[in-house]
RNA sequence: GGCCCGGUGGCGCAAUUGGUUAGCGCACCAGACUGUCGAUCUGGGGGUUGAGGGUUCAAGUCCCUUCCGGGUCGCCA
C-alpha cells in the first residue's frame, strides 16, 4: 500500500475545498459520460463522489465494482445545481490525481446498496459483502453503541463484570444442552451454558454483590425468526434486593439507551401487570399493549346457551372468550377465514363469529344463539352495529393461545399498531409451577431457583401447585419478551423442597446440583436478578423483525452457518481421541446400522 | 416430527388450460455520450427450470420420492 488514506469517505465538506486528500474505499456505481466519469467511493463512514476527467479513461478501465482502491485527489466544489443534498458529502467531489488499486474483486453476488432482494441464504453465504450494506453495517455500529452504554451504566452503578465458564456442567430440565466431550475425562462431557444462572448466584454467595456480564448463551433447540442457538444476554444479579431494585437498574439502562440512541424519553417507572391480568386481557404473558382488542370473558353467559360448543366448553372446565373488532362487520369472508386459520394453528377447533349489520346478525354465532342469549354478550363486549365479534371456546390454554394470536394478527393486518410507540411492561407474579403432561409431574415454569411468594405446600399436601406464585418477572417491550428474572431461593432447605416438587430424586439432586446446594449452605444472601436478550433488544430498537439482521454471523433456520458451512464432519482422528463414534447416522460413508 | 410458502442465467422475478426457440429487470461485457449521483441510450454474452423417477405426442407447469431455503406449531426452565 503506497497511498495511505488521511480522510474517510464520509467526512469531506465545503470547508475542505482545495485540500489534497487521500481516500480509500470500495468502488461502487460508476457513471460514465464519455468525457467526465464519476465513481462513488464508499467505506463504513459514507460515500464520496470522485471525478475522472477526459484523459483518465485508462485508469478507469481498471476499476470495477467492489475493487478496493486508494486515491490521491483534490477536493473541489460541485458546479452550480449539482449539489447532492441527500449526502453529507454532497457539496464536494474529489478530482482524481492518482489511483492505487489495492485489490480486485469478483463481481459480487448481489449489489451493495440499501435495498436488495437477494435470498437470505445467499446473503449469509456472502456475509462479508452483505455487511458492507448500509442497513447491516449500521446495525452493527448501533449494537456496539448499545453495549458501550450498557457498560457505562453498569460501571456507574458499581456492578462488577465477571466472566463465567463456557465449558460447564450439563443440567436437567430446560433447553437441550450443547455437549462438548472431554478428552481428559473420557466418557464425560461438558455442556455449553444455557445461561450463567448458577454461577451468578454463586457469585452472590461469594459477596460480589452486583454482577453483570454480556455473555453468549447456547441452547440446542429449533430456531425461529427471534431465536438463534447462540445468542447474547445482558445478565445481571444483585444481593439484598427486592424486585423493585432490579427493575430500577433495568429501567435506567433502557432509558439511557432510548434517550441516547433514539432521542426518545421512556417514562419511568415501567407499568406492571400481573401474569393473571395479562392472560385475562391479552391471552398471553407478553402482551403488545400498543393496541386494544382485548379479550372479553363470556363464559358465564355462554354456559347457559343452547349452543353446545359454548356451553360444553364451560361445562368441562374451559372458557368462552371473545374479541370485539370495531367496524369488523365489513370484513370480507376471506379475512374472517384467515382469522380462523390462525386460531386453528394454536389448537382451537374453530373460530365462532358474528357480524352485526344493519340487517341483523350474520355468522355461526348469530345462527346458533337466540337473540336473548346474544344481546348480553354484545353488551359486555361494548359492541355496536358494524362490529365483528370472534369467539373461541375450549380449554383455557387453547382459548388464550388462539385469541392472543388472532388479536396480534388483527393488530397487524388492520394496521392498529403505532410503530412509533415503545411500550415497556413488567409482567409479574407468574405461577412457579406448571404441569408437564408429557412427563406426568409438575415442573418449574421459569426455572427451579425462583423464590416462591408464599410458603410451599408441606409434604403430602402437594396437590395442585398451579396457584403457587413465584417472585418472578418478565420485561416485555412491544410484545417481545425482552428479559426474564426473579428473586432467587437463597435457603438450601427451600431449594431442596422445590427440587422435590419438580420430581427430582435425592440422588439426582446430589449429582446435578449438590455443588450448588453446598454453596447455598455457606451463607448465601438474599439475591435476585434478570437477563435481557441483547439481540432482541437491538432488534426492537432498530425496528427489525429478524434477529439475523442484528447479528454479524447468524445461523440459518436449520442451525447452519452458510458462510463457514458449519457444522461439518469432525476432522481426522478427532472422534477417536475422544473415544466417540457416530451410530445411526444416515449418509454415504457411515453405515446406517452398526 | 407436523403444517404453510418457495427453489427457473450471478441476483430478483415471469411464463395462460400441459403446447413455438423459457421471457423481463438488475448485475456483467462492448459501444455512444463532458455533470451524473440507483445516470441514460444502443447492442451482446449468460439457463441440465434444485435432484431423481413417473404420466403424456408434448412437462418449468401434473403425480411420486428426495434435497435445500423461509415462516410457523411442537420445542425453547
Amino acid at each position: 500500500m503506497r497511498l495511505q488514506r488521511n480522510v474517510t469517505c464520509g467526512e469531506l465538506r465545503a470547508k475542505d475545498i482545495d485540500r489534497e486528500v487521500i481516500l480509500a474505499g470500495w468502488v461502487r456505481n460508476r457513471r460514465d459520460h464519455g468525457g467526465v466519469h464519476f465513481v462513488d467511493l464508499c467505506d463504513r463512514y459514507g460515500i464520496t463522489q470522485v471525478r475522472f476527467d477526459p484523459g483518465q479513461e485508462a485508469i478507469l478501465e481498471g476499476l470495477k465494482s467492489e475493487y478496493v482502491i486508494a486515491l490521491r485527489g483534490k477536493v473541489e466544489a460541485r458546479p452550480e445545481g449539482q449539489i447532492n443534498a441527500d449526502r453529507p458529502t454532497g457539496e464536494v467531489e474529489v478530482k482524481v490525481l492518482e489511483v492505487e488499486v489495492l485489490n480486485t474483486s469478483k463481481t459480487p453476488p448481489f449489489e451493495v446498496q440499501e435495498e436488495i432482494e437477494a435470498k437470505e441464504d445467499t446473503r449469509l453465504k456472502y456475509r462479508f459483502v452483505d455487511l458492507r450494506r448500509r442497513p447491516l453495517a449500521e446495525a452493527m455500529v448501533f449494537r456496539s453503541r448499545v453495549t458501550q452504554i450498557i457498560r457505562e451504566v453498569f460501571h456507574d452503578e458499581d456492578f462488577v463484570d465477571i466472566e463465567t465458564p463456557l465449558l460447564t456442567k450439563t443440567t436437567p430440565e430446560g433447553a437441550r444442552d450443547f455437549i462438548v466431550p472431554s478428552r481428559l475425562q473420557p466418557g464425560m462431557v461438558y455442556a455449553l451454558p444455557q445461561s450463567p444462572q448458577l454461577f451468578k448466584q454463586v457469585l452472590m454467595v461469594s459477596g460480589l454483590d452486583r454482577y453483570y456480564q454480556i455473555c453468549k448463551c447456547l441452547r440446542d433447540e429449533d430456531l425461529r425468526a427471534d431465536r438463534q442457538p447462540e445468542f447474547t444476554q445482558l445478565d445481571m444479579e444483585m444481593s439484598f434486593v427486592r424486585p423493585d431494585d432490579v427493575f430500577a437498574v433495568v429501567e435506567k439502562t433502557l432509558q439511557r439507551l432510548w434517550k441516547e440512541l433514539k432521542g426518545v424519553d421512556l417514562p419511568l417507572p415501567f407499568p406492571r401487570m400481573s401474569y393473571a391480568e395479562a392472560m385475562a386481557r391479552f391471552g398471553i404473558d407478553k402482551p403488545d399493549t400498543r393496541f386494544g382488542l382485548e379479550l372479553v370473558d363470556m363464559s358465564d353467559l355462554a354456559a347457559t346457551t343452547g349452543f353446545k360448543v359454548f356451553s360444553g366448553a364451560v361445562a368441562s372446565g374451559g372458557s368462552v372468550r371473545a374479541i370485539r373488532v370495531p367496524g369488523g362487520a365489513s370484513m370480507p369472508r376471506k379475512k374472517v377465514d384467515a382469522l380462523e386459520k390462525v386460531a386453528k394453528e394454536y389448537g382451537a377447533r374453530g373460530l365462532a363469529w358474528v357480524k352485526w349489520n344493519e340487517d341483523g346478525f350474520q355468522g355461526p354465532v348469530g345462527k346458533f344463539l337466540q337473540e336473548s342469549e346474544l344481546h348480553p354478550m354484545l353488551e359486555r363486549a361494548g359492541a355496536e352495529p358494524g362490529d365483528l365479534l370472534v369467539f373461541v371456546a375450549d380449554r383455557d390454554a387453547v382459548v388464550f393461545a388462539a385469541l392472543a394470536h388472532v388479536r396480534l394478527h388483527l393488530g397487524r393486518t388492520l394496521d392498529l399498531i403505532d410503530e412509533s410507540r415503545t411500550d415497556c411492561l413488567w409482567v409479574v407474579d407468574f405461577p412457579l409451577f406448571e404441569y408437564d403432561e408429557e412427563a406426568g409431574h409438575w415442573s418449574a415454569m421459569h426455572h427451579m431457583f425462583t423464590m416462591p411468594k408464599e410458603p410451599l405446600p408441606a409434604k403430602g399436601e402437594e396437590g395442585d401447585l398451579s396457584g403457587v406464585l413465584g417472585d418472578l418477572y418478565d420485561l416485555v417491550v412491544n410484545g417481545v419478551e425482552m428479559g426474564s428474572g426473579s428473586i432467587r431461593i437463597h435457603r438450601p432447605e427451600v431449594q431442596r423442597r422445590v427440587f422435590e416438587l419438580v420430581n427430582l430424586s435425592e440422588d439426582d439432586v446430589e449429582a446435578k446440583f449438590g455443588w450448588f446446594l453446598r454453596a447455598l449452605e455457606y451463607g448465601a444472601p438474599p439475591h435476585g436478578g434478570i437477563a435481557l436478550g441483547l439481540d432482541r433488544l437491538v432488534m426492537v430498537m432498530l425496528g427489525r423483525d429478524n434477529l439475523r439482521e442484528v447479528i454479524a454471523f447468524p445461523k440459518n433456520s436449520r442451525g447452519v452457518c452458510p458462510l463457514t458451512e458449519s457444522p461439518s464432519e469432525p476432522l481426522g482422528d478427532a472422534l477417536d481421541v475422544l473415544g466417540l463414534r457416530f451410530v445411526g447416522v444416515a449418509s454415504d460413508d457411515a453405515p446406517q446400522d452398526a
Side-chain angles (χ1 to χ4, degrees), chain A residues 114-425:
Chain A
E114 295 260 329
E115 303 283 335
I116 54 164
E117 287 167 334
K119 244 177 303 187
E120 195 155 10
D121 218 38
T122 312
R123 291 177 48 202
L124 291 178
K125 182 170 176 185
Y126 296 93
R127 196 62 163 174
F128 38 85
V129 176
D130 201 20
L131 283 163
R132 275 181 210 157
R133 293 173 47 245
R134 188 83 32 206
L136 215 45
E138 271 170 6
M140 296 305 122
V141 175
F142 187 91
R143 183 174 173 136
S144 167
R145 287 285 294 139
V146 168
T147 53
Q148 188 196 343
I149 289 171
I150 287 171
R151 291 187 186 286
E152 282 170 17
V153 174
F154 279 77
H155 178 262
D156 290 349
E157 296 286 324
D158 226 6
F159 280 76
V160 188
D161 177 4
I162 303 174
E163 292 177 86
T164 52
L166 276 181
L167 296 175
T168 180
K169 191 179 174 79
T170 180
T171 52
E173 302 219 0
R176 199 172 294 116
D177 286 325
F178 280 104
I179 295 300
V180 180
S182 164
R183 177 180 56 84
L184 298 175
Q185 308 291 327
M188 301 295 184
V189 297
Y190 302 99
L192 301 176
Q194 297 180 25
S195 81
Q197 182 62 34
L198 295 181
F199 285 106
K200 69 176 175 179
Q201 291 192 236
V202 168
L203 287 170
M204 295 303 104
V205 178
S206 305
L208 268 306
D209 198 73
R210 299 188 136 203
Y211 142 95
Y212 89 103
Q213 185 183 192
I214 294 174
C215 58
K216 281 286 179 79
C217 299
L218 301 108
R219 297 176 188 178
D220 188 8
E221 296 291 347
D222 287 4
L223 291 82
R224 290 285 186 283
D226 62 352
R227 245 161 56 190
Q228 284 272 312
E230 86 179 270
F231 59 101
T232 306
Q233 279 191 345
L234 165 56
D235 193 41
M236 58 188 280
E237 196 75 7
M238 306 157 78
S239 291
F240 310 111
V241 291
R242 300 199 172 104
D244 284 5
D245 303 299
V246 178
F247 293 177
V249 173
V250 172
E251 287 172 353
K252 188 174 226 168
T253 308
L254 293 207
Q255 191 180 46
R256 275 273 303 271
L257 288 170
W258 255 263
K259 180 71 186 167
E260 288 192 28
L261 298 178
K262 293 177 67 82
V264 169
D265 282 306
L266 292 183
L268 301 191
F270 298 160
R272 300 176 197 184
M273 186 184 290
S274 72
Y275 170 84
E277 182 182 350
M279 295 305 286
R281 290 176 56 192
F282 303 98
I284 195 165
D285 60 1
K286 44 173 184 176
D288 190 339
T289 52
R290 290 174 299 174
F291 66 104
L293 302 185
E294 294 188 16
L295 276 52
V296 183
D297 189 354
M298 301 291 188
S299 303
D300 55 324
L301 301 174
T304 58
T305 63
F307 185 24
K308 286 220 174 63
V309 172
F310 278 14
S311 54
V314 179
S316 52
S319 62
V320 178
R321 291 167 207 265
I323 292 174
R324 168 188 160 240
V325 188
S330 58
M331 193 180 281
R333 181 60 192 261
K334 226 177 166 178
K335 293 210 170 159
V336 178
D337 289 345
L339 294 179
E340 174 156 40
K341 205 177 148 212
V342 172
K344 282 183 170 171
E345 250 176 69
Y346 290 87
R349 270 160 293 186
L351 184 79
W353 53 274
V354 58
K355 286 176 176 176
W356 187 357
N357 294 321
E358 277 106 51
D359 26 313
F361 301 106
Q362 206 188 340
V365 175
K367 208 177 305 171
F368 291 118
L369 290 189
Q370 306 291 327
E371 286 218 5
S372 62
E373 294 168 338
L374 185 56
H375 275 297
M377 293 188 183
L378 294 171
E379 196 176 326
R380 180 172 297 176
E384 294 170 9
D387 289 352
L388 164 73
L389 257 61
V390 296
F391 297 77
V392 174
D394 214 304
R395 320 192 322 259
D396 274 335
V398 171
V399 172
F400 285 140
L403 281 180
H405 289 92
V406 165
R407 175 178 175 271
L408 284 173
H409 180 88
L410 284 164
R412 280 193 278 265
T413 54
L414 299 178
D415 211 17
L416 301 175
I417 301 173
D418 179 356
E419 296 288 350
S420 71
R421 256 170 79 173
T422 304
D423 275 21
C424 300
L425 176 72

Side-chain angles (χ1 to χ4, degrees), chain A residues 7 11 30 53 86 174-175 211 254 289 296 305 309 437 521 582:
Chain A
V7 289
E11 67 181 84
R30 292 175 300 155
D53 285 329
D86 296 335
Y211 142 95
L254 293 207
T289 52
V296 183
T305 63
V309 172
E437 304 275 353
E521 285 161 358
F582 287 131

Side-chain angles (χ1 to χ4, degrees), chain A residues 418-548:
Chain A
D418 179 356
E419 296 288 350
S420 71
R421 256 170 79 173
T422 304
D423 275 21
C424 300
L425 176 72
W426 291 109
V427 179
V428 300
D429 295 342
F430 282 76
L432 200 50
F433 302 101
E434 62 189 343
Y435 195 74
D436 185 337
E437 304 275 353
E438 211 173 304
H441 60 76
W442 292 88
S443 65
M445 190 160 177
H446 176 62
H447 60 47
M448 294 177 281
F449 315 105
T450 297
M451 183 74 95
K453 286 198 87 163
E454 54 225 274
L456 292 168
K459 271 187 196 176
E461 292 169 21
E462 284 86 358
D464 184 359
L465 297 178
S466 64
V468 181
L469 299 184
D471 220 337
L472 244 170
Y473 33 86
D474 275 9
L475 176 67
V476 178
V477 181
N478 294 348
V480 175
E481 184 191 328
M482 198 59 79
S484 197
S486 63
I487 300 300
R488 326 295 184 187
I489 297 167
H490 63 281
R491 302 276 289 269
E493 67 275 14
V494 178
Q495 186 64 71
R496 284 185 193 280
R497 180 67 181 135
V498 169
F499 285 148
E500 222 168 65
L501 287 169
V502 299
N503 212 33
L504 280 176
S505 73
E506 259 180 65
D507 287 351
D508 262 357
V509 167
E510 188 47 40
K512 314 290 187 196
F513 297 114
W515 67 278
F516 177 66
L517 284 168
R518 220 161 302 131
L520 294 187
E521 285 161 358
Y522 284 82
H527 61 284
I530 192 167
L532 306 188
L534 185 76
D535 315 277
R536 285 186 186 174
L537 179 67
V538 175
M539 177 177 87
V540 167
M541 289 189 80
L542 286 172
R544 312 276 167 94
D545 53 10
N546 195 311
L547 233 37
R548 293 183 295 263

Side-chain angles (χ1 to χ4, degrees), chain A residues 46-65:
Chain A
I47 304 174
T48 297
Q49 170 165 289
V50 300
R51 191 185 80 235
F52 295 78
D53 285 329
Q56 293 186 302
E57 287 82 2
I59 307 177
L60 212 70
E61 283 289 296
L63 305 184
K64 310 278 182 189
S65 271

Side-chain angles (χ1 to χ4, degrees), chain A residues 36-141:
Chain A
V36 66
H37 300 63
F38 302 101
V39 163
D40 284 340
L41 194 66
C42 303
D43 64 13
R44 176 191 141 193
Y45 306 94
I47 304 174
T48 297
Q49 170 165 289
V50 300
R51 191 185 80 235
F52 295 78
D53 285 329
Q56 293 186 302
E57 287 82 2
I59 307 177
L60 212 70
E61 283 289 296
L63 305 184
K64 310 278 182 189
S65 271
E66 299 306 312
Y67 277 28
V68 190
I69 64 168
L71 66 84
R72 192 166 56 79
K74 194 175 159 216
V75 183
E76 295 185 354
R78 295 197 185 188
E80 198 74 20
Q82 302 291 339
I83 286 170
N84 185 343
D86 296 335
R87 283 184 197 161
T89 61
E91 286 181 276
V92 298
E93 65 193 20
V94 171
K95 178 190 163 34
V96 174
L97 300 171
E98 183 187 1
V99 169
E100 181 184 5
V101 176
L102 302 174
N103 210 347
T104 60
S105 170
K106 287 188 168 182
T107 300
F110 46 84
E111 291 161 78
V112 181
Q113 55 190 31
E114 295 260 329
E115 303 283 335
I116 54 164
E117 287 167 334
K119 244 177 303 187
E120 195 155 10
D121 218 38
T122 312
R123 291 177 48 202
L124 291 178
K125 182 170 176 185
Y126 296 93
R127 196 62 163 174
F128 38 85
V129 176
D130 201 20
L131 283 163
R132 275 181 210 157
R133 293 173 47 245
R134 188 83 32 206
L136 215 45
E138 271 170 6
M140 296 305 122
V141 175

